Amino acid sequence: MFSLRDMCQQVAVIPVLVVKETSQAKPLAAALVAGGLKVLEVTLRTPAALEVIRLMSEVPGSQVGAGTVLTLADVKAAKAAGAQFAVSPGATADLVKAAADEGLPLLPGASTASEVMRLMELGLDTLKFFPAEAAGGVPMLKSLYGPLPKVLFCPTGGITEKTAANYLALPNVMCVGGSWVTPDNLLQAGDWQAIQALAQAAQALKKP
């Protein structure tokens, strides 16, 4: 049975990808997978996103999800494109139900104890902490761990290669989301070797 938590615990970093050109999809996914980052989040922020998800899903070893999923229509479109999971910046009961009805595992966003508790009431304990830096970063996650130790987070938002290790050292963090692995200049240049090297460096941050 597919476990979103197990999937997230396989990697140190989930690349948050904004891909505008479908031609970049397969070589980008191949470079990231070769670097050890096989869990990929393609944000639904470009017209090409759904086709990018479909193409990346064809790359051996990849586990591709849809990011910035906001509505029932997004859930259905992501599922149809072959997404294995969905990521949302926040959560509503309707969105959680829609994902469950479609059989699409959801990593919903939360940034306060109340939001976390509401999601726990809906049966979710594997969450995205967003926007990580703006919402209090490492100190906030440390504070949440005391009363809510069963919840594991993937912090996303403002995290860099310099700060990722601080998050990954926390007991309630399973991985982080970040865009530094695929900088736009390397993406536009098609420098897949350099992106693979960044992926390898990111995966090396994984907890032992």
Side-chain angles (χ1 to χ4, degrees):
M1 182 177 176
F2 181 92
S3 167
L4 186 62
R5 178 172 288 201
D6 288 347
M7 183 193 72
C8 289
Q9 288 177 320
Q10 295 172 7
V11 294
V13 180
I14 297 179
V16 179
L17 308 172
V18 181
V19 184
K20 300 175 183 177
E21 304 292 338
T22 55
S23 60
Q24 298 171 337
K26 284 191 173 182
L28 174 59
L32 292 168
V33 170
L37 302 183
K38 58 185 178 180
V39 182
L40 313 175
E41 176 189 338
V42 178
T43 62
L44 301 184
R45 300 181 198 173
T46 70
L50 292 170
E51 179 65 8
V52 168
I53 289 171
R54 188 186 71 77
L55 292 169
M56 284 190 167
S57 296
E58 296 175 357
V59 174
S62 67
Q63 293 176 290
V64 185
T68 323
V69 172
L70 307 176
T71 65
L72 171 58
D74 289 342
V75 170
K76 287 180 174 292
K79 177 81 172 185
Q84 290 184 258
F85 63 98
V87 184
S88 59
T92 65
D94 286 346
L95 182 63
V96 171
K97 183 179 185 300
D101 288 348
E102 289 294 320
L104 187 64
L106 177 67
L107 187 69
S111 61
T112 68
S114 292
E115 290 172 353
V116 172
M117 289 167 64
R118 289 191 197 103
L119 288 167
M120 291 177 72
E121 286 181 349
L122 296 174
L124 299 172
D125 62 4
T126 302
L127 311 178
K128 170 180 176 175
F129 180 66
F130 177 84
E133 285 288 288
V138 169
M140 182 63 173
L141 283 163
K142 284 182 177 178
S143 297
L144 289 173
Y145 180 66
L148 302 165
K150 294 182 180 179
V151 178
L152 290 185
F153 295 94
C154 172
T156 304
I159 299 174
T160 69
E161 66 270 35
K162 294 180 180 178
T163 60
N166 297 330
Y167 283 92
L168 292 167
L170 300 176
N172 55 342
V173 169
M174 51 189 175
C175 61
V176 302
S179 58
W180 79 85
V181 183
T182 57
D184 193 58
N185 63 320
L186 296 182
L187 194 58
Q188 298 310 317
D191 193 341
W192 313 122
Q193 189 171 356
I195 288 175
Q196 180 178 333
L198 287 174
Q200 287 172 325
Q203 182 62 0
L205 297 171
K206 192 175 185 307
K207 295 178 182 179

